[in-house]
Amino acid sequence: MGFRYAVVTALLSLAAADLPTHHRPHPHPPAYGHRPTYHQPSYHPAPAYHPAPAYKPSHHHEPAVPACAANTTKPWCLEDSEYPTYEIKHAAEYHYQKLVSLYADVVDLNTELSVERPETLEEETYLCPSETAYVRPLRAQNTDGKWRIIVNNVDVHYETLTQTTRIEECLTSGEACPLVPHCYESKCLQKSAYHRFLVYDAYDQYFPFAIESFQLPASCACYLGAYVIDH
């Protein structure tokens, strides 16, 4: 009898060993009402979303001095190989209605006296030699000393946006006035005038156009000082 019991026990053990793992009897079944505990993995993948960079004012992007300034000693550029014509045109078409009002405010200024010599005191206007030109600057330094892109020669909606101004530069600034007698203390002085230009700011995400003030040479005057008597 004992021998049979041992054989039966061995056969049952072999049969249990051949069963798949999930069919094997659990050595310690969980108590009624008790749920097994599951642990969440400690790995937390980083989100793939990257927020857009914060907006920065234009002076953080634009170089302090543009490349065109290397070819001139004047605070304006009439030629600019890096002039963003396409970008200005695209922005102008997108903001056309608002841009037109700003542009009209600039070009409708009364510039009669700035482009014509006065009829009176004609002799005094030539006391010092000067050179006059009509220019369309592409970049210039504003009254705060910062270089700005000026909207010029840009085609928008079958219209060409241009801004022309007259400048007059002394040829002998700081020297004595050539037509004044030497008994007078005299000096040729460069005089300037303020001009308003429509400018483009590529880094203004709301409206990339504005009107800013610029100081440009306007005339060459002769300063007369004290009368000097030579002994």
Side-chain angles (χ1 to χ4, degrees):
M1 184 68 179
F3 175 75
R4 290 182 179 180
Y5 178 79
V7 171
V8 172
T9 302
L11 292 175
L12 290 177
S13 300
L14 291 175
D18 292 336
L19 290 175
T21 304
H22 60 277
H23 288 297
R24 295 180 184 179
H26 198 281
H28 301 287
Y32 177 75
H34 176 74
R35 296 181 179 179
T37 303
Y38 297 97
H39 299 282
Q40 295 293 335
S42 59
Y43 170 69
H44 299 284
Y49 170 73
H50 298 284
Y55 167 74
K56 296 182 180 180
S58 60
H59 62 269
H60 289 172
H61 298 270
E62 288 287 343
V65 180
C68 66
N71 302 323
T72 179
T73 58
K74 305 180 187 299
W76 66 84
C77 292
L78 302 182
E79 297 181 0
D80 183 9
S81 61
E82 298 179 352
Y83 189 74
T85 302
Y86 176 81
E87 289 80 358
I88 296 176
K89 181 178 180 179
H90 179 75
E93 291 176 347
Y94 185 81
H95 300 281
Y96 182 72
Q97 295 299 328
K98 189 174 181 180
L99 173 65
V100 166
S101 62
L102 282 181
Y103 179 69
D105 181 43
V106 174
V107 298
D108 288 344
L109 293 176
N110 183 7
T111 57
E112 181 180 355
L113 292 180
S114 67
V115 298
E116 298 289 344
R117 288 188 178 273
E119 296 179 359
T120 59
L121 301 177
E122 182 175 355
E123 293 183 358
E124 293 190 13
T125 60
Y126 294 97
L127 287 177
C128 290
S130 63
E131 186 176 57
T132 302
Y134 296 87
V135 298
R136 292 179 178 177
L138 300 179
R139 294 183 194 252
Q141 280 183 297
N142 62 12
T143 52
D144 294 327
K146 298 179 180 178
W147 283 88
R148 292 289 187 251
I149 300 173
I150 299 178
V151 178
N152 244 324
N153 306 324
V154 178
D155 296 328
V156 182
H157 287 195
Y158 306 102
E159 180 181 8
T160 302
L161 305 183
T162 60
Q163 300 182 90
T164 305
T165 189
R166 173 187 179 275
I167 61 174
E168 182 177 346
E169 298 179 274
C170 280
L171 298 179
T172 58
S173 180
E175 299 180 9
C177 305
L179 301 180
V180 175
H182 295 290
C183 57
Y184 288 93
E185 179 186 353
S186 65
K187 182 185 298 184
C188 292
L189 295 178
Q190 177 68 65
K191 301 188 71 175
S192 301
Y194 291 95
H195 299 263
R196 297 163 70 240
F197 287 128
L198 178 67
V199 301
Y200 168 73
D201 182 0
Y203 299 98
D204 190 324
Q205 60 181 346
Y206 301 108
F207 184 65
F209 298 99
I211 295 179
E212 297 187 10
S213 296
F214 298 80
Q215 187 175 5
L216 299 176
S219 62
C220 187
C222 178
Y223 169 80
L224 292 179
Y227 179 79
V228 179
I229 301 177
D230 294 330
H231 295 284

